[in-house]
Structures are given as structure tokens and as C-alpha cells.
Amino acid sequence: MSASTAPSLAPRATVDTAVGRARRGPASRRRGLKHAGWVLLFLLPSAIPLIAFVLVPMVGSAWVSLHRWNLISGMEWVGLDNYAKLLGDPTTRKVFGNTLMYIAGYLPLVYVGGLGLALLLNQAFRGRSFFRAAYFLPVVTSWVVVALVWQWLLNPSNGLVNQALGAIGLPEPGWWTDPTWALPSVVLASAWKDLGFVMVILLAGLQAIPGDVMEAARMDGANAWQRFRSITLPLLSPSTFFVVVISLVNGFQVFDQVYVMTGGGPSGASQVVVGQIYDLTFRYGRAGEASALSWLLFALILGVTAFQLHGQKRWVNHA
């Protein structure tokens, strides 16, 4: 082919390519729309409940938070007054403080206890499957049942815990009837119930650690503590991250055990944010303030979770 004819083919090839794309365009778009239609069809069973029971209530709650409403009469527009009132209310600071104190007691207890159980039940011994199932059983038990059982165990007058403490000469606290011990009572019940969940997650993480890594460390002379600190904990960090995130989210939303065991008392000593939302709505008829408080809680949970997701790069080992 001569040099004079070569340039003339380039425009023709470009034109042919453009014509081909134009011809394929409508058919390709139809296939894309058909594919998108099938995707939407398969998503509908999950999307409809999500929209109906999550997104719509969230939008409704945001709208209610801008009004004064007692659930009976019509709503009165107040704008951001509900938020300003809550932020200046000492009760709001108290319930957020109680919630943070609950998390500060609950999270270390449930993690350390769950890790201890996971390490123990990761060993080979007879009856291991039975103990794994037994420790997980409280997780699937109703919170109302668990709270009532612990309310009975921690009964100041005839509870088994105080009887055992008295038998060995230790003080017998007032537990859920004492403002000082009411919140620790809820922490104990919560940690006991959730130990099995944390145990299962961490146990799965332990079983994913390669055995040859442990064997190599053992042959290099590392003792049990050194292997735990330098190998087990770093390789367990993804499971730890998951447990911490889920436990924090659940901790901020604690309600059932508080409602059953203490009702937020005595004198508000164990009242938490979700309990305050419930009281504002159904006891005091201040649904607008309750909705605003729920959005403040949502903002706090979102901020804490975002901070954790940002910080995981520094300490979570995905290797």
C-alpha cells in the first residue's frame, strides 16, 4: 500500500466505527435496561421492607423532630428549638453520661470475657462442643427473660449473689435498688448475655490463624505470652474490630435490660438515651423532643463509627 492511500483509510475506519457504535447503541441500551430491570426485580423483596420500615420512619422522625407534638393534637412547627432545648437540658447530659458509663463498663468486660472463653474453647478437650453451645445459649434468649433472671439474682434481700457474698464476709450491695449499683447491675447482665456472641466471633478469628505461624514462633523460643501478644492479638484484630464496632453500636442503643431491671431508676441513676426517648414519647407526650434526641444519638453513633472506620488502618491487620 502506498503512502498516499494510507491516510485516506483512517477517516473511513473512524466513520465505520462511529456507525457501528450508533447501530449498537439502541440495542445495547435496551440490554442494559433489561439487566437493570432484572436487578431491581430481585432487589425488591429486600428493598421494599428497607424503604417501608427504615427509610420512611427515619424521614418521618426527622420531620417530627422539627415540631412540638404530643401524639394526640396537631403538630406545631418549632424548627430547631427541640434540639436547642435538649442540648441545654441537664437531663440530656445525664442520660448521655450514663450511656457512656455503661459502655465503659460493658465493652471491656464483654471483650475480655469473650476472648478468655474463645481461647479456652479453642483447645482440644472432651465436651468442647457442649460448652460452646452452652455459652452461646444466652445470646438467643429473650432479653426480658435474662433481665428478670438477673434482677432475681441481684435481689438485695434474698438474691443468690448477695447470699454468696454474705457467706464469705463481703459487703452485700443494693444492686438495682441502689443509685450507685444500678448501672453496674445492668452492665453485669448485659455482659453475661453477650459473652457468647463475642466468643463465637473471636473463636472464628482464632481458628483462622495459621498453625505453622504459631509453630514457628514456638520453635524460635517464644513463650505463651509472647505468642499471644505478638501473633494472636495482631492476627485477631479484624475480629476484634468487628466486635468493638458492633458492641459500641449496641451499647449506645441499650434499652431492654434497663427498662426491665431498673426502669431507669432509682432517681434516674441508670437512665440511658433510648430510655429517655421512650419516656419523652410515651410518658410525657413530647414526641418532637424524643425524635430530636434520637437524631442526636444517631449523629453520635455515626461519628463514633466513622472514627473507628478511619482508625482501623492503623491497628487492624488484614494480612
Side-chain angles (χ1 to χ4, degrees):
M1 180 182 295
S2 64
S4 60
T5 59
S8 64
L9 295 178
R12 182 179 298 176
T14 304
V15 171
D16 291 343
T17 303
V19 171
R21 282 199 300 264
R23 290 175 179 174
R24 291 195 303 268
S28 178
R29 283 195 294 271
R30 284 195 296 270
R31 286 196 299 271
L33 291 174
K34 184 178 180 180
H35 176 73
W38 280 109
V39 171
L40 290 175
L41 180 63
F42 282 103
L43 286 177
L44 279 179
S46 299
I48 291 175
L50 176 67
I51 294 172
F53 299 109
V54 178
L55 297 182
V56 171
M58 286 183 67
V59 173
S61 173
W63 178 250
V64 172
S65 71
L66 303 175
H67 295 76
R68 183 180 292 112
W69 188 35
N70 61 5
L71 300 177
I72 300 175
S73 59
M75 292 191 294
E76 177 186 351
W77 174 266
V78 294
L80 298 177
D81 287 355
N82 287 329
Y83 293 92
K85 184 177 181 181
L86 288 171
L87 292 174
D89 189 354
T91 303
T92 303
R93 293 192 292 271
K94 182 177 181 180
V95 296
F96 272 103
N98 287 343
T99 303
L100 294 175
M101 287 176 60
Y102 166 85
I103 293 173
Y106 164 79
L107 186 57
L109 192 59
V110 76
Y111 179 77
V112 173
L115 179 59
L117 286 176
L119 291 170
L120 179 63
L121 296 178
N122 195 38
Q123 308 300 317
F125 60 89
R126 292 190 62 181
R128 181 176 63 175
S129 298
F130 168 78
F131 285 104
R132 287 178 178 178
Y135 281 113
F136 190 76
L137 185 61
V139 179
V140 296
T141 305
S142 167
W143 246 124
V144 175
V145 174
V146 171
L148 288 174
V149 168
W150 273 92
Q151 191 181 42
W152 170 70
L153 289 173
L154 299 177
N155 190 297
S157 57
N158 55 11
L160 293 182
V161 174
N162 273 5
Q163 290 182 17
L165 292 175
I168 58 177
L170 293 177
E172 302 177 25
W175 296 115
W176 46 270
T177 64
D178 186 339
T180 303
W181 288 94
L183 203 56
S185 303
V186 178
V187 169
L188 284 175
S190 302
W192 178 83
K193 186 180 189 301
D194 293 338
L195 275 178
F197 172 78
V198 176
M199 174 202 72
V200 167
I201 301 299
L202 296 182
L203 183 59
L206 288 172
Q207 293 177 345
I209 296 177
D212 54 353
V213 176
M214 286 293 187
E215 186 62 27
R218 190 179 292 108
M219 293 179 64
D220 287 341
N223 58 35
W225 168 249
Q226 289 172 331
R227 295 196 301 271
F228 175 75
R229 183 188 61 186
S230 302
I231 298 176
T232 302
L233 282 181
L235 294 182
L236 202 60
S237 57
S239 300
T240 297
F241 174 74
F242 176 80
V243 165
V244 170
V245 170
I246 295 298
S247 299
L248 276 174
V249 171
N250 290 337
F252 278 115
Q253 299 179 85
V254 59
F255 172 69
D256 299 26
Q257 53 271 50
V258 175
Y259 181 78
V260 175
M261 290 184 67
T262 67
S267 303
S270 61
Q271 183 65 294
V272 290
V273 178
V274 178
Q276 183 69 2
I277 293 172
Y278 174 87
D279 286 348
L280 285 173
T281 305
F282 298 107
R283 289 190 179 182
Y284 308 126
R286 292 153 59 184
E289 292 180 36
S291 297
L293 184 57
S294 69
W295 277 98
L296 292 177
L297 178 61
F298 172 78
L300 178 60
I301 294 175
L302 183 63
V304 171
T305 305
F307 177 78
Q308 290 176 295
L309 292 173
H310 176 73
Q312 69 167 320
K313 301 176 184 178
R314 299 182 179 180
W315 64 275
V316 177
N317 181 10
H318 293 286

